[in-house]
Amino acid sequence: DWNLGAIWHYRSAYTDLQLPGLPTVTIPAFSTLDLVAQYSPTRALELRAGIYNVANKLPTQGINSPSPNTPGIDTAYSNLWGRTLRVGATYRF
């Protein structure tokens, strides 16, 4: 009836924006840990909860960013919310 899990997200270090005449910028590695749980008291009901980014780590910053709304942060690999709690339920009928 219970499912528990831990998810480790890891982004290795990489070289950010490279322009002629400017120094190379190396972005350090970044990782977060998520803890998730699921409980099914009946066949029709499923309850879920998760704590995401347990250590409340801020993402590493660089120069290049895919979004103009978050300069210097690649939101494909991290978010700016920090530690978050998510809950959900599914009822099948």
Side-chain angles (χ1 to χ4, degrees), residues 21-69:
L22 293 177
T24 301
V25 176
T26 301
I27 307 302
F30 178 74
S31 65
T32 59
L33 175 68
D34 303 339
L35 300 175
V36 293
Q38 176 181 315
Y39 176 61
S40 300
T42 67
R43 295 188 83 169
L45 181 62
E46 178 183 284
L47 306 171
R48 297 175 306 280
I51 300 174
Y52 293 79
N53 194 359
V54 173
N56 201 26
K57 290 176 147 185
L58 291 176
T60 54
Q61 293 189 357
I63 296 172
N64 199 10
S65 174
S67 169
N69 298 328

Side-chain angles (χ1 to χ4, degrees), residues 70-85:
T70 55
I73 295 175
D74 189 348
T75 54
Y77 299 101
S78 58
N79 65 51
L80 296 176
W81 299 337
R83 183 183 306 120
T84 55
L85 172 65

Side-chain angles (χ1 to χ4, degrees), residues 6-24:
I7 305 161
W8 180 51
H9 301 274
Y10 177 77
R11 172 74 167 147
S12 63
Y14 62 96
T15 301
D16 203 8
L17 191 63
Q18 290 184 345
L19 295 174
L22 293 177
T24 301

